[in-house]
Amino acid sequence: MSKVVKRVYGSAPLWAWIVMGVCVVVLVVGLIISGNRTAPTSTSSVANGMASTAAAPATPATVAFIDDAKANPSTPKTLVLLGDSTGADRDGWAPALGRSISRSLDRPVATKYWNTQTGAYGAMVGLGNGTNGAVGFWNGSAAGKDVDYTLQNLDKIIQPDVTPDLILLNFGHTEDPSKPLAPQVQPLINELRQKYPNADIAVIKQNPEKGADSSDQLSGYAAAMDAEGIQVIDVYSAFPTDEAALAAVMSDDVNPNAAGQRLWTRTVLAAFGLPEAQ
């Protein structure tokens, strides 16, 4: 244990004291990563606070995240998820992603979940152990909240000492269904690119809503993101289009049940090039 503590302390001094206090749970040290470390170079760019018009990168942001983690196994990594309730389930696709990253990369992974009632993160939750550099997974999913809420609380959801390597945006259900989604998400993308120019961004095209037509909202969404060089993870197409079949994988009109979460998980893990749990 002392060797593990010494290794982690040397790679991320800001949170090494946490390990010393809870050394029986090595994996929790993965969450708080020094804001002074250098994130990997991204294809994302910003000019005068406006959106980039770069073409889609040859390597998807999710794959680049994994590739860089493999190439630099001792370097800590930071993943941030911003979105609504579809990413907040503690038994859902987001923690499944964290566990898969831990298994595949032999890295300790820890997460925290945003609490809209307190306006702060809850306690650390370990998602896996490992001998390589830790991964901090900040789950800023806010049930029932939209892009504007995330923008208003961005400095608390991504705290000053956190430097994201990859930011996942998971919005749609809480936005105006009668208007295209891309312009509704764009202010957040612009802000993220300005604040975190070295972070890659990927968006998730969410599951269909039961009993609703989202064609107006999703029209042109993937094309608009592609034009900016932003990866689109197409969860929408993984879900059935038949209403009866869709109802069978939903817990309510918006949120997937356990079967629906498995569809999310399979799609997201494939986007990262990670295997499903056996």
Side-chain angles (χ1 to χ4, degrees):
M1 177 64 70
S2 62
K3 292 182 179 179
V4 174
V5 171
K6 182 177 180 181
R7 177 179 58 81
V8 177
Y9 181 87
S11 64
L14 282 182
W15 41 260
W17 61 272
I18 298 176
V19 186
M20 303 302 291
V22 291
C23 61
V24 294
V25 190
V26 176
L27 51 87
V28 300
V29 307
L31 193 59
I32 301 176
I33 296 177
S34 170
N36 293 323
R37 66 183 176 80
T38 302
T41 301
S42 165
T43 55
S44 300
S45 62
V46 63
N48 299 321
M50 300 302 292
S52 168
T53 57
T59 302
T62 51
V63 175
F65 177 86
I66 297 299
D67 287 349
D68 188 77
K70 289 178 177 178
N72 302 281
S74 64
T75 303
K77 302 288 287 183
T78 302
L79 175 63
V80 173
L81 171 62
L82 305 176
D84 58 27
S85 61
T86 55
D89 191 333
R90 297 192 178 209
D91 294 316
W93 67 267
L97 170 61
R99 288 190 290 270
S100 183
I101 290 173
S102 177
R103 287 193 304 269
S104 299
L105 303 181
D106 190 24
R107 287 175 176 256
V109 178
T111 191
K112 280 189 175 184
Y113 296 92
W114 181 256
N115 187 321
T116 57
Q117 299 299 313
T118 63
Y121 282 100
M124 272 185 200
V125 178
L127 298 178
N129 296 305
T131 61
N132 292 318
V135 176
F137 187 175
W138 297 87
N139 190 333
S141 300
K145 303 299 184 181
D146 59 8
V147 167
D148 287 343
Y149 171 88
T150 299
L151 275 168
Q152 292 164 9
N153 293 275
L154 191 59
D155 288 341
K156 292 189 291 184
I157 297 175
I158 304 180
Q159 297 171 355
D161 61 344
V162 173
T163 301
D165 296 303
L166 175 63
I167 304 171
L168 301 178
L169 301 184
N170 178 39
F171 290 98
H173 293 308
T174 53
E175 306 307 316
D176 188 338
S178 67
K179 298 178 180 179
L181 182 57
Q184 298 183 72
V185 177
Q186 193 65 56
L188 178 57
I189 292 173
N190 291 347
E191 183 69 12
L192 291 170
R193 281 179 158 167
Q194 190 169 35
K195 290 175 71 81
Y196 311 106
N198 290 324
D200 280 326
I201 299 173
V203 302
I204 296 174
K205 188 177 178 182
Q206 295 182 325
N207 63 277
E209 185 173 342
K210 191 169 66 175
D213 182 4
S214 57
S215 58
D216 288 342
Q217 186 191 65
L218 295 179
S219 176
Y221 186 49
M225 296 299 103
D226 286 345
E228 292 196 47
I230 294 177
Q231 177 187 1
V232 178
I233 302 173
D234 188 6
V235 170
Y236 184 93
S237 297
F239 277 70
T241 55
D242 176 76
E243 280 296 322
L246 179 61
V249 295
M250 302 291 286
S251 62
D252 55 33
D253 289 346
V254 170
N255 294 285
N257 59 20
Q261 289 287 352
R262 286 193 291 273
L263 295 178
W264 269 83
T265 300
R266 186 178 304 128
T267 305
V268 172
L269 292 185
F272 277 80
L274 294 172
E276 295 183 60
Q278 300 299 317

